[in-house]
Amino acid sequence: MSDDICVCFFLLVCLVGLHADASQEAQRLREFILSRRSNGNAFSAHDPAFTVTSSLRAEYSGTNQVALKAADKIAALPGQPAGVGFNQYSGYVTVDEKNGRALFYYFLEATHGAADKPLLLWLNGGPGCSSVGYGAMIELGPFRINSDNKTLSRNENAWNSEANVLFLESPAGVGFSYSNTSSDYDRSGDQRTADDALIFLINWMERFPEYKGRAFYISGESYAGHYVPQLATAILSHNTNSKGDIINLRAILVGNPYLDDNKNTKGQIDYLWSHGVISDEVRANITKNCKFSSLDGDACSDAMASYDSGYISGYNIYAPVCIDEPNGNYYPSSYVQGIDPCSNYYIHAYLNNPMVQKAFHARATKWSGCTDLHWKDAPVSMMPTIKWLLEHGLPVWLYSGDFDSICPLTATRYSIVDLELSVMEPWRPWTVNKEVGGYVQQYTGGLVLISVRGAGHQVPYFQPERALVLVSSFLKGTLPAYAMEQ
């Protein structure tokens, strides 16, 4: 990606809301693109067969893994509601003993039948955003943090009703994950993230050996459009070369994925125009001056900067926003059931509570939702990697909340075109309680594209029931059903 395309993307998304919303992921993505431009670093290309460059090492050689697992068990989280009947674990897994690099995890056993259910890994994006703070505490985890910043309420559509769910703070420097070698943070990038995540999984399964050989799935959102496919290719490469245990990876699932830099920018423009955020004239001027390629220059940047969206959230252009008063007070601009755009404040307060950090077995730290890491490598497009995975027999499901303008459905569609796949099952509705939950299309080779109606960037947050139906279908390997109204 050229510097000019980077600034075009930055100007575009910065005009779609900059205040406190349910998550900082999209804001971090904006900052990431701008930092690449200011540092003068071009995005690198990767071999689609993303490989592991680090030597795999046994964590805590000679240490009793059973004892480590027992020490990681959470008795209860502060403010946890009564009646929690599933086990929770959290702690650290070392991925580099020499540098003291360790990744933090939060693991939830399934609410029932845990021994028979698969293992599902969740990764938030950014790059540099917390899977515990956002994925677990506002999206698909069993609890929601209440506005008192102290107590939790149940999420009735938590994904651990369908699987044993593992949240990973990745890479080191994100959330509670850390390195004792501060220079590690300046070496962050796609390759290092995939390497460490694979080492984490191998070592974590030593601590939880009952999951060796268990059906395993990877999921995530946003910049996890890089993380998830790259980790999947690292796992497949590991399985090919391993003389020991293999990881039984069955499929991957990514929501509102950031897949292709140029296609994402073009998809944003078309999405915002079709939803009435930019005018015909602005779109015509952008189309005239932008080729959505490395050839674009200042004229493209100027064209993209020539409109005012007002104070709306790019994560969900139809959702309320959080109003920040000069005196420090904050409140939602309007009230929609299940959506609190000021939730980021609750997450920050709760996870910085010393008693909460102690219950999580986390090091005492100033927790932050997203961390500005000096990213070193990222491919322009993930589609060669997606193609490689499909060619190696791994099903790939991509889903999009249709109210998201940061990584919109249009961008995902434009990216899929590059795969040149044939349609097996054409675009059709799928339903939840006889209401359209979205639309789905299946392609040859194992690719599935799903939209989630009325959802923003963080689908399990904006449409939790529909997201649960989606992940249940994914784990079964069957498209979500269409129950026609009687």
Side-chain angles (χ1 to χ4, degrees):
M1 176 188 282
S2 73
D3 291 350
D4 293 318
I5 276 289
C6 287
V7 71
C8 288
F9 179 88
F10 174 75
L11 289 168
L12 171 66
V13 294
C14 276
L15 289 168
V16 194
L18 289 171
H19 297 259
D21 286 280
S23 168
Q24 294 179 335
E25 272 187 310
Q27 182 176 338
R28 175 64 199 118
L29 189 58
R30 290 190 288 263
E31 294 167 350
F32 168 67
I33 296 297
L34 180 62
S35 71
R36 299 300 300 224
R37 172 184 176 272
S38 62
N39 291 333
N41 293 327
F43 284 78
S44 62
H46 285 300
D47 184 331
F50 212 77
T51 56
V52 180
T53 57
S54 300
S55 59
L56 300 181
R57 55 185 67 83
E59 170 215 0
Y60 305 132
S61 299
T63 303
N64 187 331
Q65 294 293 325
V66 175
L68 289 172
K69 176 182 175 181
D72 285 353
K73 189 171 183 180
I74 297 172
L77 294 175
Q80 179 178 299
V84 174
F86 53 87
N87 291 325
Q88 307 175 71
Y89 298 84
S90 61
Y92 292 94
V93 171
T94 299
V95 295
D96 187 329
E97 292 179 0
K98 180 181 178 181
N99 285 357
R101 199 161 65 248
L103 301 185
F104 183 83
Y105 78 91
Y106 176 38
F107 176 55
L108 303 162
E109 289 187 350
T111 54
H112 57 280
D116 300 318
K117 284 189 165 54
L119 176 64
L120 177 73
L121 174 69
W122 175 268
L123 300 170
N124 275 84
C129 293
S130 167
S131 297
V132 172
Y134 298 121
M137 290 300 176
I138 199 174
E139 297 188 70
L140 54 133
F143 307 121
R144 293 282 184 269
I145 302 171
N146 297 323
S147 59
D148 62 7
N149 301 335
K150 299 176 181 179
T151 60
L152 305 174
S153 55
R154 289 297 294 268
N155 171 20
E156 299 302 326
N157 294 287
W159 286 15
N160 71 322
S161 65
E162 299 294 326
N164 301 283
V165 182
L166 176 61
F167 298 92
L168 176 62
E169 304 263 63
S170 176
V174 173
F176 292 122
S177 295
Y178 70 92
S179 176
N180 290 328
T181 305
S182 59
S183 60
D184 271 351
Y185 303 141
D186 295 327
R187 298 199 256 318
S188 301
D190 282 17
Q191 181 73 58
R192 165 72 67 79
T193 301
D195 285 1
D196 282 1
L198 176 59
I199 295 169
F200 165 86
L201 283 171
I202 292 169
N203 289 331
W204 185 88
M205 288 180 181
E206 290 297 320
R207 192 175 301 185
F208 292 82
E210 62 270 32
Y211 291 96
K212 288 185 177 182
R214 186 81 63 94
F216 176 62
Y217 300 85
I218 313 175
S219 58
E221 72 186 14
S222 193
Y223 197 79
H226 284 227
Y227 292 162
V228 172
Q230 289 164 346
L231 176 56
T233 54
I235 288 173
L236 294 185
S237 297
H238 162 75
N239 288 348
T240 298
N241 300 320
S242 175
K243 296 179 182 179
D245 296 322
I246 66 169
I247 298 173
N248 187 14
L249 179 60
R250 298 288 186 86
I252 62 173
L253 172 73
V254 194
N256 291 85
Y258 187 67
L259 295 172
D260 182 288
D261 300 324
N262 298 321
K263 299 291 175 58
N264 204 82
T265 306
K266 176 175 171 53
Q268 284 185 317
I269 290 296
D270 291 346
Y271 180 89
L272 292 171
W273 171 76
S274 66
H275 287 259
V277 178
I278 62 178
S279 68
D280 294 349
E281 292 75 17
V282 166
R283 180 173 183 260
N285 192 38
I286 292 173
T287 302
K288 175 184 176 181
N289 289 286
C290 300
K291 302 302 181 184
F292 304 105
S293 74
S294 59
L295 302 177
D296 289 325
D298 291 340
C300 176
S301 301
D302 293 343
M304 287 195 181
S306 63
Y307 75 98
D308 180 7
S309 66
Y311 181 20
I312 63 173
S313 170
Y315 318 132
N316 183 332
I317 64 173
Y318 296 111
V321 293
C322 189
I323 304 298
D324 299 295
E325 295 286 8
N327 62 4
N329 292 333
Y330 49 84
Y331 58 90
S333 60
S334 61
Y335 292 91
V336 176
Q337 185 176 2
I339 298 177
D340 187 341
C342 298
S343 294
N344 197 59
Y345 289 110
Y346 319 152
I347 297 168
H348 189 270
Y350 185 80
L351 292 180
N352 276 295
N353 182 329
M355 295 304 295
V356 171
Q357 294 187 359
K358 182 178 180 180
F360 267 123
H361 314 127
R363 300 199 320 174
T365 186
K366 184 178 180 181
W367 181 90
S368 176
C370 294
T371 304
D372 183 11
L373 298 170
H374 301 290
W375 216 250
K376 297 300 181 186
D377 62 281
V380 173
S381 175
M382 287 303 301
M383 301 320 292
T385 304
I386 297 290
K387 183 177 181 180
W388 187 91
L389 291 171
L390 294 171
E391 289 173 346
H392 284 74
L394 188 73
V396 176
W397 286 39
L398 306 175
Y399 68 91
S400 286
D402 58 11
F403 285 179
D404 176 33
S405 71
I406 301 299
C407 298
L409 175 61
T410 46
T412 304
R413 282 174 151 169
Y414 293 159
S415 298
I416 286 175
V417 170
D418 290 346
L419 297 174
E420 300 180 334
L421 299 174
S422 300
V423 174
M424 285 182 61
E425 183 164 344
W427 196 248
R428 66 159 174 83
W430 58 277
T431 53
V432 179
N433 297 325
K434 295 188 177 180
E435 183 178 17
V436 173
Y439 299 85
V440 59
Q441 183 158 296
Q442 185 174 22
Y443 298 82
T444 56
L447 181 74
V448 173
L449 173 64
I450 301 180
S451 74
V452 183
R453 191 166 70 93
H457 193 68
Q458 306 90 5
V459 169
Y461 167 66
F462 289 108
Q463 290 291 340
E465 186 177 11
R466 293 172 185 175
L468 184 61
V469 169
L470 188 158
V471 76
S472 177
S473 299
F474 165 71
L475 293 171
K476 294 173 184 174
T478 58
L479 300 186
Y482 179 24
M484 300 178 67
E485 185 177 357
Q486 301 298 315

